Amino acid sequence: MNAPGQAADMRLDKWLWAARFFKTRQLAIEAINGGKVHLNGQRTKPGKTVSIGSRLTIHKESLEWQIEVRELPKQRRPASEAVHFYLEDESSRLKRQQQIEEQRLLRAAAPRPAPGKPSKRDRRLIHSFTGKD
């Protein structure tokens, strides 16, 4: 029996939006149609119903989540509450954290673009160094 405030079943796109994996339902629909979301190991459609215990695999950018649906909310809730709507596999969480750390290290090692236009002080230093007035 469902607790008060829970639906019996829910559309996949609406659940992904309510669980805050996607900012809008349209983005969720596009991801599902693009094959980025699998329900119980199968490609699916946005209108497919999910229920408690359904297994989802979600690919977003270079990250991947493997989760099990725990709650079917009536409406979108804050992110602090949305994390209770699913249970993520420990191996999935560790792999995702490792990918995030690798991306952070790559960004830190990447060359930074030169700053834009020199400031007035910088121009004065350049002129004094080159001997121009």
Side-chain angles (χ1 to χ4, degrees), residues 102-129:
E102 288 173 2
Q103 289 173 356
R104 187 186 67 77
L105 291 173
L106 285 174
R107 277 194 309 272
R112 301 226 189 274
K117 181 177 166 183
S119 68
K120 189 172 187 176
R121 181 176 180 271
D122 293 337
R123 281 194 308 275
R124 286 182 179 156
L125 290 171
I126 291 168
H127 289 299
S128 68
F129 181 74

Side-chain angles (χ1 to χ4, degrees), residues 15-28:
W15 188 88
L16 289 169
W17 168 76
R20 295 189 170 265
F21 282 100
F22 296 96
K23 209 170 198 177
T24 65
R25 282 183 65 184
Q26 186 60 41
L27 290 174

Side-chain angles (χ1 to χ4, degrees), residues 88-101:
E88 184 175 9
D89 293 345
E90 188 65 23
S91 60
S92 169
R93 187 182 62 77
L94 292 174
K95 184 179 175 185
R96 192 167 36 82
Q97 286 178 341
Q98 181 182 3
Q99 286 176 331
I100 290 170
E101 182 65 21

Side-chain angles (χ1 to χ4, degrees), residues 1-12 15 39-40 48-56 67-74 84-87:
M1 185 103 186
N2 288 339
Q6 285 190 347
D9 56 2
M10 182 181 251
R11 286 176 56 105
L12 177 58
W15 188 88
L39 176 64
N40 297 323
K48 187 77 171 175
T49 58
V50 293
S51 56
I52 294 174
S54 296
R55 308 253 332 139
L56 294 172
I67 60 172
E68 181 179 340
V69 176
R70 290 290 186 190
E71 278 188 49
L72 301 173
K74 276 187 162 180
H84 302 294
F85 296 167
Y86 58 90
L87 178 65

